[in-house]
Amino acid sequence: MTEVQSQPASVVPDALTTVLLGHNAFQFTRAGVELGLFDLLERSPGTRRERIGAELGLAERSLDILLLGVTSLRLVERTEEGYVNAKSISDLFTGGHWELVKAVIGFEAYVTYPGLVDFTESLRANSNIGLRRYPGEGATVYHRLSEDPELLKVFYHFMGTWSAVAGKHLIKYGDFSSARRILDVGGGDATMAIAVAGAHPDVEVTVLEIPKVVDLARKRVEEAGLSDRVKVVEGDIFAGDYPEGHDTVMFVHQLQIWPQDRIRVLLGHAHAVLPEGGRVLILNSMSEDDYDGPLMAALASPFFAAVAGEGGMLYSWEGYEKSLKEVGFDQVRRTRCTEAITPHGIITAVK
């Protein structure tokens, strides 16, 4: 059969199509994860179409839709033997990153997407307008999620997995040589506190968190067998009544939630509670100083701008450094976490 084309085969480039229909691209990736397609193909590369349908429990039309999507997105390839994961997917398995990918998928699907409908309005208002999409009265999405056990479970699965990755960076690149008592401000379920205490037997850590997260954090600490060196206390991180007696204050995945004026409040509280020579440590994914990348920092920022706190983003190194100096810190130093799939970095400063 002769095919006659009256116009070019691709009027819209694939890259632009992926942006225009990006939500659909995500849904194919999500379906591949939740149905177990990628896991199946990693276990059994070259799986035939019929077996995929049987293993995943999909009718013929549903299977056609799924395979059309994942192959067109170059997530899966069809060979003479059968279907295989694309190298980009397979590398995530072999590199030990697949659990993080699955956690990100769950977080985006169930936590992030509802509020991003208000992203444009959030930019106009310079505030997290998308928070209105989440039931509850809390001032942040984290307070509101604490009222929904199922969503809170999804959130902390993501944060725990993400923090486990970041924890490796913190232990590898963080300088705790002079630290003996660390305050982890907004330390969530204590994943980072546990990582630091586990790597440094002579260090004690105090986690400061909102009341509804405290029980979860204490349970994690107890399970890790570190209750003697990791304490969890309730508190409002903006109130300024930080526990005293610490030589290091740590902000991990916390400052990106807030606008810069609120960040300076938090850093000011840290400065006030630290002794002379005390240190502050910030671990976050970072944007470049010119705000021209990296892509992951850009695409992660809408959640913080539209939903999370009062309007944040993945700030640049320079943005944090300016805030640190404004509240009185000195000897500011930046450390890039190289060999990472995320754009993590550490900034330290001294009082």
Side-chain angles (χ1 to χ4, degrees):
M1 179 178 178
T2 303
E3 180 177 346
V4 178
Q5 292 184 346
S6 58
Q7 60 181 14
S10 180
V11 176
V12 181
D14 282 352
L16 180 56
T17 298
T18 305
V19 172
L20 292 174
L21 301 178
H23 181 81
N24 298 333
F26 171 79
Q27 294 302 337
F28 275 116
T29 311
R30 172 190 171 192
V33 166
E34 294 185 349
L35 291 169
L37 173 64
F38 302 116
D39 290 280
L40 169 62
L41 298 184
E42 196 62 24
R43 291 194 311 269
S44 305
T47 301
R48 294 286 184 181
R49 183 182 182 283
E50 294 75 17
R51 182 185 166 194
I52 293 174
E55 292 271 352
L56 273 53
L58 295 180
E60 185 173 359
R61 182 188 65 89
S62 297
L63 182 61
D64 287 343
I65 293 171
L66 178 63
L67 292 178
L68 171 63
V70 295
T71 54
S72 297
L73 289 167
R74 307 293 187 267
L75 302 173
V76 167
E77 298 174 0
R78 184 168 63 84
T79 68
E80 291 184 2
E81 291 76 21
Y83 289 88
V84 299
N85 282 332
K87 186 176 184 301
S88 59
I89 297 294
S90 189
D91 285 349
L92 292 170
F93 278 95
T94 57
H97 305 303
W98 188 243
E99 285 305 311
L100 174 60
V101 171
K102 290 165 67 174
V104 171
I105 291 289
F107 179 75
E108 292 295 314
Y110 299 104
V111 177
T112 298
Y113 264 107
L116 289 192
V117 69
D118 290 318
F119 178 52
T120 302
E121 188 61 29
S122 296
L123 294 180
R124 288 196 180 107
N126 196 32
S127 186
N128 58 330
I129 303 301
L131 184 64
R132 63 186 177 184
R133 307 291 173 174
Y134 302 81
E137 299 298 326
T140 74
V141 74
Y142 309 106
H143 289 83
R144 297 193 183 190
L145 290 179
S146 67
E147 301 174 16
D148 186 326
E150 288 304 312
L151 278 185
L152 190 65
K153 182 178 178 181
V154 171
F155 173 74
Y156 274 110
H157 173 62
F158 164 73
M159 282 306 302
T161 308
W162 187 263
S163 294
V165 172
K168 295 177 182 178
H169 303 328
L170 185 62
I171 299 309
K172 182 175 181 180
Y173 297 101
D175 180 7
F176 294 99
S177 57
S178 63
R180 291 299 175 266
R181 297 198 66 205
I182 300 171
L183 177 63
D184 184 7
V185 179
D189 65 354
T191 295
M192 305 307 285
I194 291 168
V196 173
H200 300 279
D202 54 347
V203 164
E204 296 180 5
V205 186
T206 302
V207 178
L208 179 64
E209 253 301 346
I210 60 176
K212 290 187 178 181
V213 181
V214 164
D215 287 344
L216 173 61
R218 286 175 178 158
K219 180 181 179 182
R220 298 256 1 256
V221 170
E222 184 177 353
E223 290 171 348
L226 290 169
S227 298
D228 58 330
R229 291 194 295 115
V230 179
K231 307 300 181 186
V232 183
V233 298
E234 321 183 339
D236 179 348
I237 64 174
F238 284 102
D241 53 350
Y242 288 3
E244 296 183 351
H246 298 87
D247 53 53
T248 304
V249 176
M250 186 166 71
F251 294 95
V252 179
H253 296 157
Q254 176 62 233
L255 300 185
Q256 61 204 16
I257 300 169
W258 311 104
Q260 284 286 5
D261 60 334
R262 298 287 271 169
I263 289 174
R264 286 189 288 273
V265 170
L266 294 175
L267 294 177
H269 291 331
H271 189 273
V273 80
L274 283 169
E276 291 295 325
R279 300 168 73 244
V280 64
L281 181 151
I282 300 167
L283 172 66
N284 262 347
S285 291
M286 305 286 186
S287 292
E288 296 302 334
D289 290 342
D290 290 333
Y291 285 113
D292 56 0
L295 182 60
M296 185 175 288
L299 297 185
S301 287
F303 170 73
F304 298 105
V307 177
E310 296 173 7
M313 67 174 292
L314 296 189
Y315 293 101
S316 69
W317 300 83
E318 187 177 49
Y320 288 121
E321 290 164 353
K322 285 181 178 178
S323 292
L324 284 163
K325 291 176 182 177
E326 282 189 32
V327 301
F329 283 103
D330 198 2
Q331 301 178 43
V332 181
R333 186 180 72 178
R334 60 173 76 177
T335 303
R336 291 181 183 270
C337 302
T338 57
E339 302 175 1
I341 66 170
T342 56
H344 273 91
I346 295 174
I347 298 178
T348 57
V350 178
K351 177 173 176 178

